[in-house]
Amino acid sequence: METSERARLDTYFGKIAKTFAPSERPSSILVTHLLAERPAFVRAVRSMSDLRAVLPKPKSVDTVARREVEQTTPCDELSREAFADPDSALSYLEMRAAGEDVVLLDVGGYFAASLDALCERFSGRVIGLVEDTENGHKRYVERNKLPCPVVSVARSPLKAPEDFLVGQSVVFSAEALLRGRGDILHGRSALVIGFGKLGSSIARLLHAKGVHVTVHDIDPVRRTQALSQGFEVARDRDRALSRAGLVLCATGALSLRGEDFSLLRNGAYVATVTSSEDELELDGLRDGYIRNGSGDHVTRYSTTGHYFYLLNDGNAVNFLHGASVGPFIFLVQAEILAGVRMLARRDLSPGMYEVSTEDRATIAGIWLDYYNR
């Protein structure tokens, strides 16, 4: 990032932080993709709260960015297993913020399984949580009863540009890996599993590149949407898997179970838009599959009479090329900061919340001042 761009970003977040500064600062724990531009956002979180630790998503860490953040804030290891265990999650929170009022800033529902224990047994107080992703949003919504307020930005209109551009970056990275092996997308058949905001964007972009796209989604409403947009909709998921030369998993949940991989046609490529632990049950592959490298970030799984390729070890394929969506990501990050102020007021009862329309308009106005030049 050029010095002038870094200065503009810091000034932008300074304006956002001043606009949404809480009257009483809480402590915070931040889960984030620690990409190259992310230290500016981390500084903004620190300016609005007492940031006790950063938990970088394991497969999306820029080493330079991590070193910069570690100069002021501890960076700890993040794993879904550790934070799904109530005792482990509680021990961590006690280590970093014992006795304090804490806001948890989440990306992917890492605290969903342990949230009851954190709210009931923590020596301080979890005053709320902000969730960034659709995957995480679903994890909190699926709970019968929330023990604290959860502010979700996953379905915000300010996130729509990011979703579209993430779809572009996924298709770009998948195509780059195929071209690295002498393959191309054009003329290939693809199955997109999940027709939400990301999946629909991916399907449209693949179609524009001459790919025959079939869509599968468990939601009948989304299936009708896909059909209305001209896509073939799979009536038989297993048959669609056996015909596709490229399978893109975009559900944010479990797309392929262990037994599904044997249905893939020989030479099919599999890619995801999120982490392998969410989308793929690789541990469930039947015995006999051998794993070998087959080019940069392409793994060949083979057994007698069958083989397929997995891109980026099943993790979000677009992170191989920075997963950049340009300055539009700063809209969503600003809304996360607005969520911190909502929770810092300490007047919300347990449940799901969104940032107000007025606050979103304020964020968009500030962003336009800095990035519509």
Side-chain angles (χ1 to χ4, degrees), residues 174-194:
E175 183 173 32
L177 292 181
L178 264 65
R179 285 185 178 274
R181 299 193 70 258
D183 282 339
I184 60 173
L185 284 176
H186 188 86
R188 184 174 289 272
S189 60
L191 173 64
V192 177
I193 303 178

Side-chain angles (χ1 to χ4, degrees), residues 99-117:
E100 299 175 358
D101 283 3
V102 179
V103 172
L104 304 175
L105 306 179
D106 201 358
V107 179
Y110 279 87
F111 299 103
S114 59
L115 195 56
D116 283 333

Side-chain angles (χ1 to χ4, degrees), residues 48-63:
M48 292 182 59
S49 64
D50 297 324
L51 181 58
R52 297 310 185 197
V54 172
L55 292 160
K57 296 271 284 186
K59 303 299 182 179
S60 51
V61 179
D62 179 273
T63 55

Side-chain angles (χ1 to χ4, degrees), residues 183-247:
D183 282 339
I184 60 173
L185 284 176
H186 188 86
R188 184 174 289 272
S189 60
L191 173 64
V192 177
I193 303 178
F195 199 71
K197 291 176 290 185
L198 277 180
S200 59
S201 173
I202 290 167
R204 288 191 292 271
L205 291 161
L206 287 173
H207 176 73
K209 288 182 173 289
V211 176
H212 177 78
V213 179
T214 301
V215 169
H216 172 75
D217 197 294
I218 61 173
D219 184 347
V221 173
R222 288 181 174 174
R223 294 201 296 271
T224 62
Q225 291 171 342
L227 201 61
S228 73
Q229 294 176 32
F231 296 110
E232 180 181 345
V233 174
R235 297 173 63 87
D236 184 323
R237 175 181 175 275
D238 290 355
R239 185 164 182 263
L241 276 173
S242 69
R243 295 169 58 191
L246 170 65
V247 178

